Amino acid sequence: MNLLFPLCLRQCIRLSRASAMASLCIALGLVTACSSRQELVFSKERDRLQGLSHELLATQVDEFNSYEGRPKSDGPYNAHNNKAFLISNIPLFLSSDDATNKVYNYRWWMVSKHLKEYADPEDQQKYWVVTEFFGPRPWASLSGAITCPAGHQFYDVRWLRDDKYLKSYADYFIRGSASHLNQRENGNFLTYLSRPESHHFSSWMLDGVDAYLRIHPDSAWLHGILPDMERHQAVWDSLFTVQRSGAKTDGLYKILDLYDGMEFSLSAVLGLIASEGAYDLYTADNWRDYYLGWGTTDNAAKSAQAAQYPRAYRKGYPDLYLVRPSVNGYAYGNLRALSELYRMDERDYAQSGASKKSALYQQRATRLQNKVMDVLWNDEDHFFNSYTAGDNAFGAHDFEARVRESVGYTPWYFNMIPADKATDYADAWSLFASDKGFNNKQGMTTAERQHPYYNEQTYAWNGRGWPFQNSVVYKAYANYLRHYKQDISDADRRILYDHIRKLTALHNPAQPNIGEWYIPSDGKTFGGEQDYFHSTFPDIIIEDLLGFKAQHDDKFEVQPLLPEAEWDFFYLGRLRYHEHDVDIVWKKDWDADKPGDQNMLCVWVDGKLAARSERLNTKLTVSLSK
């Protein structure tokens, strides 16, 4: 609606009926003039907010660089040049919420420190990689990059204007030396399964490539790397699927707790307690002595069972594979990505025969989807549960762990729920905001609070909060609202916003940091590490909260989930998308001299107003071809 139109209309009505035709012409001219004046108001305010966001970023980067005791940069961007890099590369953001502004800018500053140039001695190539920890780690690849957070890293870093970083990062892990060089074995290699560096931890890297190409399409690069992406998936298929005919979990994907990035989980605890033979060590009374943090595995290593079954343990860590909603969600995301990217390849290279491969990977994704729904979903629990793998060498086979863990939300992250059965699985989300489930005073938990084994005080995923999981679950919930829920209420939006607000507060906006974990009941900040790249935040703001949804086609959607009453305004701009610049502004009061609300959500493409709405929570579809 044109905000100035009522005034113009009143002027038209006053015109004499005797000159109706002339009046109509004048009225149309007035409306056009009013519309032009209004667009000028919008554009001036956009420019003003862009300037303020630029200034705030520069000021805050100086502040972040002044913090003492922080890890040094892993790469070339440091206190001498990171300001210029960030100003020229990140989507600018400003809102009426100071804490969100600062944490958003801090997280980009943190990201810049993890962009590392790596000269690979194996293949004599130079790569950009993205690190998680700072400095060399024995469980990392030789470059220092680690596959565990790669999916999150792709989703955050894809928003940089310069597209070279993720293309190079994908080249390194998908077709470079890390794709075939086995992970070196050392004291941290708590398994007997040799595998490439690219598969040391579970990841949804192929889905991450797909997400990246939705922002920065590059058909030639995609065409070249697709065969390597297939080989990457083939390693997952050969090493990490249950292969026991007749097993309930046959054909599903499996992983150890540790190599799903989740060291110790309650689903593994229940599986160990249910096991006999090598794992009859674990009971309901004593499991905390053997599988609750790294010190306890030393106790298991000294047990009679470890001596009798040395292959069942490595340094006391049990070789028990789990079929989890997480790793199966990742596999589904990767398979869907291959299908979608081969579809794109067929469009751009008509003679490549890619359509057959696209159909093949879609079929595989659908089979996996159906099996996850059939096996991992528990109708009584209204949740996706984990099983022990049906082909475990030791321990229980196909044992269902009846505990709700936050990994059970992973299928929604990848829109894995069949669209025609959305309501059949919706009850799972009742626990997201429940104090019996995953809601706590300071943040989301990783296991349901009502379970008798819930524990947030130890270094485990038995309840303690981990930003890695916040990043998965928030996107999963945003997808649930946008893609599966017919009517999104303000209460629905507030659940997401309240969780993000708690995560923002945990960063300690006075002097921001991001670490490995937090205590959901009473923790005030993160612990474990500093400036740690194991989760997302820019992507949570850009895609999940503010609703910028990228597509392979030349269009995008904007559908904010921000409750309308929360912020007076926000600006998200200079966002590089398909080689265009996009700016978005929401504001309640565009003209302080005019009374009443003047709500308007405006979207510009290359400086031209492309869409607008008086409602914040509407869905706008913007075509780039106009």
Side-chain angles (χ1 to χ4, degrees):
M1 178 179 177
N2 194 315
L3 292 178
L4 300 181
F5 183 77
L7 174 62
C8 297
L9 185 59
R10 287 196 298 271
Q11 292 174 348
C12 296
I13 292 173
R14 294 192 189 105
L15 296 173
S16 171
R17 291 185 179 182
S19 54
M21 185 61 70
S23 299
L24 177 61
C25 294
I26 294 171
L28 291 174
L30 284 170
V31 170
T32 301
C34 288
S35 179
S36 298
R37 288 198 299 272
Q38 183 188 36
E39 289 192 19
L40 182 60
V41 170
F42 292 157
S43 297
K44 284 185 175 179
E45 183 61 8
R46 176 204 62 200
D47 293 344
R48 187 182 76 87
L49 292 175
Q50 183 180 95
L52 290 175
S53 63
H54 180 286
E55 293 172 10
L56 182 64
L57 173 63
T59 299
Q60 290 182 341
V61 168
D62 286 340
E63 177 186 335
F64 305 149
N65 285 332
S66 73
Y67 292 163
E68 296 181 356
R70 293 300 178 94
K72 293 182 178 180
S73 174
D74 256 348
Y77 301 118
N78 52 49
H80 298 292
N81 58 9
N82 55 19
K83 184 194 296 187
F85 168 78
L86 291 167
I87 287 173
S88 63
N89 267 284
I90 74 169
L92 295 174
F93 171 74
L94 185 70
S95 75
S96 55
D97 187 274
D98 292 339
T100 306
N101 299 339
K102 192 167 185 180
V103 172
Y104 176 90
N105 287 336
Y106 158 74
R107 288 296 295 255
W108 278 119
W109 173 82
M110 178 275 293
V111 167
S112 74
K113 297 204 298 178
H114 285 284
L115 300 175
K116 178 180 179 179
E117 291 179 300
Y118 176 61
D120 193 336
E122 288 292 322
D123 59 15
Q124 308 302 312
Q125 298 292 319
K126 290 185 177 180
Y127 297 100
W128 283 100
V129 300
V130 186
T131 60
E132 173 191 42
F133 294 87
F134 291 96
R137 303 282 172 154
W139 55 87
S141 66
L142 291 176
S143 73
I146 301 170
T147 56
C148 183
H152 287 324
Q153 292 169 342
F154 268 88
Y155 271 80
D156 259 6
V157 178
R158 65 181 176 148
W159 299 107
L160 289 178
R161 292 177 69 87
D162 192 333
D163 66 355
K164 69 183 178 185
Y165 302 101
L166 287 187
K167 273 193 287 197
S168 187
Y169 192 35
D171 284 340
Y172 172 69
F173 268 130
I174 294 174
R175 58 182 170 185
S177 69
S179 69
H180 55 79
L181 183 68
N182 269 2
Q183 181 72 28
R184 62 196 186 282
E185 299 191 22
N186 49 50
N188 296 95
F189 196 82
L190 304 183
T191 174
Y192 293 95
L193 181 65
S194 295
R195 56 205 184 273
E197 292 181 328
S198 54
H199 293 73
H200 190 45
F201 292 90
S202 61
S203 84
W204 56 106
M205 196 181 302
L206 303 187
D207 172 82
V209 171
D210 177 75
Y212 157 72
L213 288 170
R214 290 172 188 264
I215 309 294
H216 300 290
D218 189 329
S219 59
W221 178 80
L222 171 61
H223 185 67
I225 200 172
L226 264 171
D228 302 285
M229 293 176 70
E230 276 196 282
R231 284 189 284 273
H232 181 92
Q233 182 58 37
V235 176
W236 286 117
D237 300 338
S238 65
L239 296 180
F240 294 97
T241 53
V242 177
Q243 298 182 15
R244 183 181 173 214
S245 180
K248 190 172 185 178
T249 55
D250 184 35
L252 290 171
Y253 290 79
K254 62 183 181 179
I255 200 77
L256 296 178
D257 268 358
L258 174 59
Y259 293 108
D260 211 19
M262 300 175 191
E263 288 83 354
F264 305 90
S265 75
L266 286 186
S267 49
V269 165
L270 297 180
L272 289 167
I273 292 173
S275 296
E276 298 178 349
Y279 298 138
D280 65 8
L281 168 67
Y282 304 93
T283 71
D285 296 324
N286 72 7
W287 66 268
R288 294 172 181 84
D289 297 329
Y290 301 108
Y291 199 75
L292 189 60
W294 291 116
T296 63
T297 57
D298 294 339
N299 298 333
K302 299 172 185 175
S303 68
Q305 288 86 346
Q308 184 179 357
Y309 300 97
R311 295 283 300 183
Y313 299 84
R314 187 139 186 196
K315 296 188 69 177
Y317 197 84
D319 200 53
L320 185 78
Y321 282 81
L322 297 181
V323 174
R324 312 184 80 201
S326 51
V327 69
N328 282 278
Y330 305 163
Y332 175 81
N334 287 340
L335 291 168
R336 280 292 304 273
L338 282 170
S339 175
E340 179 69 6
L341 295 176
Y342 267 117
R343 182 187 70 82
M344 301 293 295
D345 193 51
E346 176 70 18
R347 182 196 67 183
D348 298 325
Y349 294 87
Q351 304 304 315
S352 70
S355 60
K356 291 182 179 179
K357 290 192 175 183
S358 176
L360 169 66
Y361 285 109
Q362 179 57 55
Q363 291 168 2
R364 288 191 55 195
T366 301
R367 285 199 301 269
L368 177 60
Q369 175 190 41
N370 291 337
K371 186 135 193 179
V372 167
M373 302 301 128
D374 291 343
V375 176
L376 301 190
W377 178 258
N378 184 297
D379 275 329
E380 184 177 342
D381 296 344
H382 302 289
F383 216 74
F384 288 101
N385 292 335
S386 294
Y387 278 72
T388 57
D391 61 355
N392 272 326
F394 306 95
H397 294 162
D398 288 342
F399 171 81
E400 182 182 10
R402 298 289 294 275
V403 55
R404 300 175 185 90
E405 299 171 300
S406 59
V407 294
Y409 289 124
T410 310
W412 282 274
Y413 183 102
F414 298 99
N415 297 302
M416 194 177 187
I417 309 302
D420 60 344
K421 297 181 179 179
T423 57
D424 295 348
Y425 303 94
D427 281 351
W429 288 104
S430 65
L431 288 175
F432 183 44
S434 169
D435 291 346
K436 292 182 178 180
F438 301 95
N439 186 54
N440 213 327
K441 295 177 183 178
Q442 302 300 115
M444 189 189 83
T445 70
T446 49
E448 57 179 328
R449 295 176 62 189
Q450 63 192 337
H451 195 276
Y453 291 169
Y454 176 87
N455 186 312
E456 60 182 43
Q457 298 300 323
T458 56
Y459 190 84
W461 296 67
N462 300 356
R464 177 177 287 204
W466 299 78
F468 180 102
Q469 271 306 99
N470 296 68
S471 302
V472 171
V473 176
Y474 296 172
K475 186 174 296 296
Y477 182 66
N479 286 345
Y480 162 67
L481 295 184
R482 289 194 179 98
H483 303 155
Y484 295 103
K485 204 168 189 297
Q486 290 187 347
D487 297 309
I488 306 173
S489 69
D490 193 64
D492 295 327
R493 298 184 190 96
R494 183 155 297 282
I495 290 171
L496 177 64
Y497 180 75
D498 286 348
H499 273 280
I500 294 174
R501 180 179 54 80
K502 290 177 182 178
L503 181 65
T504 302
L506 281 163
H507 281 80
N508 182 27
Q511 189 168 317
N513 177 50
I514 175 63
E516 288 182 277
W517 50 263
Y518 58 89
I519 305 301
S521 62
D522 58 10
K524 301 298 183 184
T525 58
F526 295 110
E529 293 290 331
Q530 294 189 98
D531 303 336
Y532 178 66
F533 198 2
H534 195 238
S535 61
T536 62
F537 193 86
D539 188 71
I540 288 173
I541 300 301
I542 296 170
E543 181 171 82
D544 303 332
L545 185 63
L546 302 186
F548 186 97
K549 299 292 289 185
Q551 301 184 27
H552 286 302
D553 298 329
D554 281 337
K555 60 184 178 180
F556 61 88
E557 294 177 353
V558 177
Q559 186 184 8
L561 292 176
L562 174 72
E564 192 166 293
E566 282 300 330
W567 293 353
D568 293 332
F569 74 91
F570 73 77
Y571 165 76
L572 175 67
R574 217 194 51 191
L575 188 156
R576 193 66 175 167
Y577 178 76
H578 289 226
E579 298 186 348
H580 295 271
D581 285 329
V582 177
D583 294 279
I584 305 168
V585 175
W586 158 256
K587 207 166 188 293
K588 291 183 178 179
D589 188 5
W590 289 83
D591 189 340
D593 296 330
K594 291 186 178 296
D597 288 339
Q598 305 160 38
N599 296 347
M600 192 67 72
L601 175 67
C602 295
V603 182
W604 291 265
V605 176
D606 296 330
K608 296 180 180 179
L609 188 61
R612 63 186 180 183
S613 171
E614 292 180 353
R615 296 299 308 274
L616 170 62
N617 300 127
T618 192
K619 179 166 73 172
L620 298 175
T621 301
V622 178
S623 174
L624 299 177
S625 59
K626 290 183 178 180

